[in-house]
Amino acid sequence: MTAHATTTWRTQTTRVGSVATLSMGCHWLINGSWLKACVAFGAVAVALLPARWIQDFELRYSVRAVLTVLVTAHVIVGMYGGLYESSGIDGLFGLYGLYDKSAHLFGSAALAWVGLGALNRRDLFEGEPIRRTLAHVIVLMATLSLGTLWELFEFAIDQTGLFRAQRGLDDTMFDLLANTLGAAAAVIFDRSRHKDLKQPFHPPVNFR
């Protein structure tokens, strides 16, 4: 796939996902579910706005596409499709629980993949590659930190009484476990970094 085709695919993915999520937000707003509508509109803002501060266009397209896919799955499949609602019969690892954990697993893997791509782009332009192991540690820690912040966000939302995001300690712990497995899988199967980065790192010698 050419660079132009890849950019076009990412742009179309962002466009379709954003329109679908905004349409769902309008549907909820018309039907009086203003809280869900706010979540949908806020999700689109989270997917699109942060990338505006990324100067690297290739990275910007990737970040927007990945975030859009994640928020679209969250709003349309998880919320509208009802796959976040767990019942006593389904439990933690029933259909509904499995979707929640799968969202954490693949979401963390996608964020880690974006992080690895960002470091690769940084190596390309800076000319001073980060060691492969260090890059993996940075991406893993950053992804897990984002997952922890998300759980804190869910806890804060629960305190308002507007939503019920967390369903007990086990639910939170398995969310964090899924985040860890997803990020670790992205790091373990990373083949994007240049083969030279696998070699021992030797600091440049200053002859001055």
Side-chain angles (χ1 to χ4, degrees), residues 54-90:
I54 300 177
Q55 296 182 352
D56 186 335
F57 286 102
E58 286 294 319
L59 183 59
R60 181 186 299 178
Y61 290 132
S62 295
V63 170
R64 279 181 174 171
V66 169
L67 291 181
T68 300
V69 169
L70 293 180
V71 301
T72 301
H74 171 67
V75 171
I76 295 182
V77 182
M79 294 179 61
Y80 181 74
L83 289 186
Y84 284 138
E85 297 300 323
S86 179
S87 65
I89 297 177
D90 294 288

Side-chain angles (χ1 to χ4, degrees), residues 83-158:
L83 289 186
Y84 284 138
E85 297 300 323
S86 179
S87 65
I89 297 177
D90 294 288
L92 186 62
F93 292 105
L95 173 62
Y96 302 136
L98 283 179
Y99 176 77
D100 180 38
K101 302 304 171 272
S102 297
H104 280 273
L105 179 74
F106 291 106
S108 292
L111 292 176
W113 175 76
V114 169
L116 291 167
L119 290 182
N120 286 334
R121 300 292 292 180
R122 179 263 177 201
D123 292 344
L124 177 64
F125 290 106
E126 294 294 332
E128 296 181 1
I130 299 176
R131 283 181 293 179
R132 187 169 184 263
T133 301
L134 178 59
H136 287 171
V137 170
I138 291 174
V139 168
L140 184 61
M141 293 298 102
T143 306
L144 296 184
S145 296
L146 289 175
T148 302
L149 290 175
W150 177 261
E151 295 303 320
L152 291 174
F153 169 74
E154 286 190 347
F155 174 77
I157 288 295
D158 284 348

